[in-house]
Structures are given as C-alpha cells and as structure tokens.
C-alpha cells in the first residue's frame, strides 16, 4: 500500500513540477485519442516516428514572427530545432505540418472549360482541373501574456474565465501562473498557397489573400443560405489568377464554425430567423443570433493575423474579403491592404441576400450602395414552406 502511494505521489509530483505548458497536443482530438487508448487500440505511451515527415517546403523565419502570440512559428521544425532534446528521449510534438497536394474544385473546373481560367501546367496542371498547392495545418499554441496584451485583457481574468468556461478542465490555468503557454482545445488553421512561395514576401510580386472562416453547410454541402462557398471559390479563383500573373495566392481557412459559436447554435439561429414574424429579414439578421447565442460574433479576429505573420506577409495586393473586422485586424497588425474585392453579385445565392445585405449595412465593404433601413426590411429570405 505504501509503495503504491509513493508511486502515485511521485507521478503527481512529476506532473505538477515538470509541465512546460497547459493543455494537450491535438486539441479537441485528444478525446478521440483517449478513446483509442481506453479501447486498447493504442498504447498510452506511444511515441511518434517522425521519419520522412519533414515539411515539403521551408517557411521563415521572418522578423514578423516576433509578433506572433497564438501559434508556434517553429511548430513545423521541432524535429530539427529540438534535435538534442529528441535524442535524449524528450517527447516533443509538431504543431504545424506542411505538405503539397492537388485540389480539384468543380466550380473552377467549369471556369477552365469556359476559358476563364487557363491550364498552365504549373498551377492548373491539366484540363481535368487539378490545381497544385502547398498546404499547411496549424494547431493553436497560445502565449497567454501575449494574447492578453493583444486583446487588452487582464491575464488573471482571462485565466479564470478560461478555467470556468471549460468546466475546470485545465486547473493549471489558475494554479500555475509560471506556465505561460496554453494549447486550447479548439480547431486550428489550414493554409493553401498557390504559386511561388517567395512571392508571399516579395513586395515586387502580386499577392492575393482570402481569410475564410469555416462553414460546413455551405463550404462542403452547398447550402444557399449564405455566401461562404461561393466566396471561397471566388477567393481560390483570384489566388490562381494572381499566381499565374507571377505572384502568389493564399487561402487562410480557420476552424470557426458558425462565427465560432458552433453548428448547433447556427442551426438554432436559422430556425429562429425563418420562423420569426415577418420571415427571415435582413433587418433582424444579427438580432436573431444575439438572442440565441448572447453575442453576434465570437470569432476573435484579433488573433487571426498571426498566420499571416508566420508566412512573412507584410502587404496584400488583393484582399478577397468584405469583412470590416478582418480588414481592421489585418491593418492593425501592420499589414498593408492595397485592394479589397467583394463577392461578385452573380455569385450570391438567392437566399443569401439577407445575410449579405445585413452585413453590408453593418459595415462590410462594398463597391456599391449601402442598403438603408427600408432596403433591409424589404430583403426577406425563403420560408420553410
């Protein structure tokens, strides 16, 4: 009995005094790892073999890395940067992976057939619509003092709020103020790069960027209640065209489903919008979200520019986004935006006019007229019947 107690005491001592960060690698996927271990499908002490997993290209370092607070800029290079520690058996995991791939998007394939996009054998590699990209997956790594400074929040208050809102999942947030790094259990970022990587940082080359927040219903399944997939496709189109002009294009895809409120909340809001008196109106678009979720938007764009800093981007020639929040965050991060591109009118689905008109009235960029209160009242979406 005493021996077992001693083992447990020593284990807890090591856990408490030799932690270097709060949280776990893999974020929300940690739960699936735990299930695999609980079902004896995986060894709890499994150590990854990183042979041949090195990045397909090297990114950085850049001076802008000093501004980063929400990801580890060295996350793709840990096997090299920490080789002495690896050789001693220290378990260090990458938080970034970089690879190359072909993507094929049906709408872009149609544009190739129509001659709007050209097969060049380098970016669009064939008439079947295969497009060569470099892509990177990034897990979040928060440096808490830096995050607090970026957001203008007291660190003690943020730690307490994170502790409470995660159901006490991470007690070290309020007991270990010496631990400054937090691996939050949230989705990360995927980056798709079109064209020459060096053009991302070359001021003499054109650069197109779309920052896109996840929308499973539209992006994957083509729901027509919003502009997400059409705008994403348009962003890819602009990125390809810019890359074929000798520059580069970049899609930043962030896992912030339903304005970071989640898909369940989003669908509840859809129901509330469709069933309200007078129907789905642009005049009440944001009000319905606020009534259900308590906030119009939880996407926290202030941290978003860190991925641009990681890529070394200091200017964007073609910013394929109408969002005033994204534009402000990028500009405040010291990245120059030279041109903003709205979604073409012909790409807006019929039932998405409620969304886009409400957003333009709220401050979204538009090259056209801003709808007034009467326009918003008259802009009504499809009913369930």
């Amino acid at each position: 009995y005493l021996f077992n107690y001693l083992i447990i005491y020593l284990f807890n001592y090591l856990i408490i005094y030799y932690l270097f960060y709060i949280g776990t690698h893999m974020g929300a996927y940690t739960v699936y790892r735990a299930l695999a271990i609980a079902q004896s499908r995986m060894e709890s002490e499994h150590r990854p073999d990183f042979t041949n997993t090195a990045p397909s290209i090297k990114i950085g370092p850049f001076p802008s890395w000093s501004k980063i607070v929400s990801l580890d800029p060295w996350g793709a290079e840990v096997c090299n940067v920490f080789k002495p520690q690896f050789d001693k058996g220290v378990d260090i995991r990458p938080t970034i992976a970089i690879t190359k791939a072909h993507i094929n998007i049906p709408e872009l394939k149609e544009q190739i057939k129509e001659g709007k996009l050209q097969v060049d054998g380098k970016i669009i590699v064939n008439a079947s619509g295969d497009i060569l990209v470099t892509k990177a997956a990034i897990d979040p790594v928060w440096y808490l003092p830096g995050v607090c400074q970026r957001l203008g929040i007291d660190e003690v208050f943020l730690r307490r709020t994170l502790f409470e809102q995660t159901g006490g999942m991470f007690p070290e947030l309020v007991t270990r103020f010496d631990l400054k790094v937090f691996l939050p259990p949230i989705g990360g970022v995927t980056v798709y790069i079109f064209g020459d990587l060096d053009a991302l940082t070359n001021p003499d080359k054109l650069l197109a960027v779309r920052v896109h927040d996840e929308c499973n219903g539209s992006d994957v399944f083509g729901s027509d209640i919003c502009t997400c997939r059409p705008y994403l496709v348009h962003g890819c189109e602009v990125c390809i065209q810019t890359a074929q002009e000798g520059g580069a294009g970049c899609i930043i895809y962030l896992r912030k489903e339903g304005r970071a409120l989640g898909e369940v909340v989003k669908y509840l809001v859809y129901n509330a919008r469709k069933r309200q008196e007078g129907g789905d109106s642009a005049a009440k678009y944001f009000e319905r979200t606020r009534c259900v979720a308590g906030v119009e938007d939880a996407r926290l764009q202030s941290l978003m520019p860190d991925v641009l800093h990681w890529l070394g981007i200091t200017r964007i020639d073609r910013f394929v986004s109408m969002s005033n929040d994204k534009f402000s965050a990028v500009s405040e991060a010291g990245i120059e935006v030279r041109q903003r591109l709205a979604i073409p009118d012909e790409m807006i689905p019929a039932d998405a006019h409620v969304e886009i008109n409400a957003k333009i009235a709220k401050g979204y960029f538009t090259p056209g007229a801003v709808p007034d209160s009467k326009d918003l009242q008259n802009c009504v979406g499809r009913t369930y019947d």
Side-chain angles (χ1 to χ4, degrees), residues 363-382:
Y364 266 42
F365 165 76
T366 177
V370 177
D372 58 24
S373 58
K374 185 177 180 180
D375 295 327
L376 296 178
Q377 290 287 351
N378 292 334
C379 183
V380 179
R382 189 176 58 242

Side-chain angles (χ1 to χ4, degrees), residues 31-51:
V31 175
Y32 292 105
R33 183 177 65 195
L35 289 175
I37 293 170
Q39 292 179 309
S40 300
R41 296 168 56 196
M42 175 182 176
E43 294 293 332
S44 61
E45 300 302 320
H46 171 72
R47 297 287 295 274
D49 178 358
F50 292 117
T51 303

Side-chain angles (χ1 to χ4, degrees), residues 10 14 21 55 73 244 270 298 368 371:
L10 289 174
L14 292 172
Y21 56 84
Q244 290 184 329
Y270 285 169

Side-chain angles (χ1 to χ4, degrees), residues 24 40 101 127 144 147 266 289 293 298 305 349:
T24 60
S40 300
L144 288 172
V147 169
K266 181 163 74 171
T289 303

Side-chain angles (χ1 to χ4, degrees), residues 112-289:
I112 294 170
K113 289 181 180 179
E114 295 170 5
K116 295 179 180 178
L117 289 175
Q118 305 299 319
V119 176
D120 61 355
K122 180 180 178 183
I123 296 164
I124 302 179
V125 297
N126 54 46
S128 298
D130 292 330
I131 302 162
L132 180 63
V133 296
T134 297
K135 60 181 183 178
I138 306 172
D139 281 340
V141 180
W142 289 6
Y143 177 61
L144 288 172
V147 169
C148 290
Q149 184 177 18
R150 178 84 59 85
L151 302 180
I153 301 173
D154 176 73
E155 185 178 346
V156 173
F157 182 71
L158 177 61
R159 283 172 172 264
R160 168 59 63 177
T161 305
L162 287 170
F163 172 72
E164 293 174 350
Q165 294 301 314
T166 55
M169 188 183 301
F170 306 103
E172 295 87 2
L173 283 166
V174 292
T175 62
R176 294 290 306 275
F177 282 83
D178 58 312
L179 298 179
K180 304 296 185 182
V181 175
F182 177 44
L183 308 184
I186 59 176
V189 185
T190 307
V191 178
Y192 290 85
I193 301 170
F194 303 78
D196 185 7
L197 181 69
D198 292 336
L200 296 177
T201 56
N202 187 338
D204 296 325
K205 300 286 185 71
L206 290 175
L207 174 62
V209 172
R210 170 152 181 81
V211 177
H212 188 94
D213 294 321
E214 178 184 27
C215 176
N216 182 67
S218 178
D219 296 344
V220 179
F221 294 99
S223 172
D224 68 348
I225 198 172
C226 64
T227 60
C228 294
R229 180 181 176 90
Y231 213 171
L232 177 59
V233 170
H234 183 57
C236 292
E237 176 190 3
V238 174
C239 285
I240 291 168
Q241 291 170 339
T242 304
Q244 290 184 329
E245 293 172 20
C250 187
I251 300 290
I252 309 295
Y253 194 91
L254 300 107
R255 297 314 194 284
K256 297 179 181 179
E257 176 66 61
R259 298 191 202 135
L261 298 169
E263 204 164 26
V264 170
V265 169
K266 181 163 74 171
Y267 287 6
L268 293 174
V269 171
Y270 285 169
N271 286 342
R273 283 171 51 188
K274 296 295 185 180
R275 290 170 175 158
Q276 67 186 329
E277 185 178 352
D280 185 12
S281 168
K284 296 181 179 180
Y285 174 82
F286 287 105
E287 180 183 341
R288 291 298 90 204
T289 303

